Amino acid sequence: MSKITAAITAVGGYVPEDVLTNEMLEEMVETTDEWITTRTGIKERRILKDPTKGTSFLAIEAAKNLIQKADINPEEIDLIVMATATPDMPVAATGVHVASQIGAINAFSYDLQAACSSFLYGLSTGAAYIESGRYKKVLVIGADKMSSIIDYTDRTTCIIFGDGAGAVLLEPNTEGLGLQDEILRSDSIGRESLKISAGGSLMPPSEETVAKKLHYVHQDGKTVFKFAVSNMAGVSEQIMLRNNLTNTDVNWLVAHQANKRIIDATANRMNLNDEGKVLMNIERYGNTTSATLPLLLSDYEKQFKKGDNLIFASFGGGFTWGAAYLKWAYNS
């Protein structure tokens, strides 16, 4: 019997219409377009301004886009892994609502939170369900409404993040395509460097936590940058070595879109001299956290060919990070 691997067979994406440019941020905080661009590579980001809509809205739209393009019946979906750092609510799982709203009435669903690595961890989890043979169609969605947890008077964070969602469908493959290998890591050394202090069991909401703005993202940028460069680049190189891949074997680097300098450092470590192999949309979207990797797939899908070698890489708060090696399963 041929080995079952989990292949991506369809992708979808969604970003809100409203754009927040660097020039607009110049009016909000002490910064400049030149400063933001040279240090992050970001020119603009998308913002979901409607206060009645949360992360589930973004995820639903991305899933609908995938379902429409792939022409699949949502009732055939077995499972939805909802990767997000900004669930609609702390308790009622966002993925469950998404499943109901897209008509995936036969799917069970749950949320997975690993900061910016959420989608990569979710991809691994979804692949394991496929490889077990128990499930045939697993939808992995990465979505975040980062604008809901950003202090737009804090120039260290408000310049970085945007809102968006992406989705992939995983199905069994016996041609040797799909997910080949992964290296996933975590270390709580970064617990204080990238976090939201309040709102959890350690520091429940109170008048004081709201007044002190402890429900917004806080980031020690220098520490996060240092660890991200070292660890994201490290696992990307490691997964190439472990699978005997050279820079000419890698067709595409699908890297987390946190900072262009981190992406460049990862590409350099992998000796990817051809910039055309390094997928980027950070200039238009900023860091959409759980959505960056699937949004890249959605934006560049038409360029992928069956058998292409993709290296995924991510780094997030916690710290969490990892890399994955996947063979693309279809011609677009």
Side-chain angles (χ1 to χ4, degrees), residues 120-121 179 181-185 231-240 242 253-254 270 310-314 321-326:
L120 190 63
Y121 282 22
L179 187 64
D181 194 13
E182 63 184 34
I183 300 171
L184 303 178
R185 296 286 183 263
N231 290 309
M232 198 166 99
V235 288
S236 301
E237 180 185 40
Q238 188 180 348
I239 205 161
M240 287 177 64
R242 196 158 85 175
L253 170 61
V254 188
M270 298 167 66
L310 279 64
I311 300 294
F312 292 80
S314 193
W321 69 96
Y325 165 35
L326 178 137

Side-chain angles (χ1 to χ4, degrees), residues 4-7 9 130-131 133 135-137 170-175:
I4 297 174
T5 53
T9 57
I130 292 291
E131 291 165 3
Y135 303 99
K136 305 299 183 188
K137 284 183 167 61
L170 297 175
E171 294 186 273
N173 184 278
T174 55
E175 299 177 82

Side-chain angles (χ1 to χ4, degrees), residues 48-197:
L48 180 59
K49 288 189 174 181
D50 189 340
T52 68
K53 294 176 179 175
T55 294
S56 62
F57 172 79
L58 301 168
I60 289 164
E61 292 301 310
K64 284 181 176 178
N65 178 245
L66 181 151
I67 289 166
Q68 180 184 16
K69 288 197 307 182
D71 192 25
I72 64 168
N73 181 352
E75 295 183 10
E76 295 178 357
I77 298 172
D78 302 309
L79 160 66
I80 296 176
V81 179
M82 179 71 220
T84 184
T86 57
D88 286 1
M89 319 176 180
V91 175
T94 301
V96 175
H97 180 59
V98 172
S100 297
Q101 293 302 303
I102 65 172
I105 58 174
N106 296 311
F108 75 99
S109 182
Y110 58 85
D111 297 355
L112 188 157
Q113 205 282 76
C116 293
S117 300
S118 297
F119 179 81
L120 190 63
Y121 282 22
L123 185 68
S124 169
T125 304
Y129 280 108
I130 292 291
E131 291 165 3
S132 75
R134 291 187 179 185
Y135 303 99
K136 305 299 183 188
K137 284 183 167 61
V138 175
L139 190 64
V140 182
I141 306 173
D144 273 305
K145 185 181 178 181
M146 292 302 294
S147 61
S148 67
I149 56 172
I150 295 300
D151 176 5
Y152 284 93
T153 66
D154 176 12
R155 66 176 181 175
T156 64
T157 56
C158 73
I159 66 170
I160 298 170
F161 296 97
D163 303 338
V168 303
L169 182 67
L170 297 175
E171 294 186 273
N173 184 278
T174 55
E175 299 177 82
L177 303 172
L179 187 64
Q180 306 294 306
D181 194 13
E182 63 184 34
I183 300 171
L184 303 178
R185 296 286 183 263
S186 61
D187 189 334
S188 70
I189 192 172
R191 183 176 169 90
E192 297 299 315
S193 300
L194 180 52
K195 64 176 181 176
I196 294 177
S197 299

Side-chain angles (χ1 to χ4, degrees), residues 211-269:
K212 290 184 176 180
K213 298 185 175 182
L214 299 180
H215 296 268
Y216 293 121
V217 170
H218 167 76
Q219 176 172 280
D220 176 359
K222 290 183 179 179
T223 299
V224 173
F225 181 85
K226 181 181 72 173
F227 275 88
V229 168
S230 173
N231 290 309
M232 198 166 99
V235 288
S236 301
E237 180 185 40
Q238 188 180 348
I239 205 161
M240 287 177 64
L241 293 171
R242 196 158 85 175
N243 290 277
N244 298 312
L245 297 171
T246 67
N247 59 339
T248 56
D249 296 321
V250 176
N251 298 102
W252 310 101
L253 170 61
V254 188
H256 173 52
Q257 306 288 289
N259 184 302
K260 187 178 183 295
R261 291 185 295 166
I262 298 174
I263 300 167
D264 289 342
T266 302
N268 289 336
R269 187 79 168 267

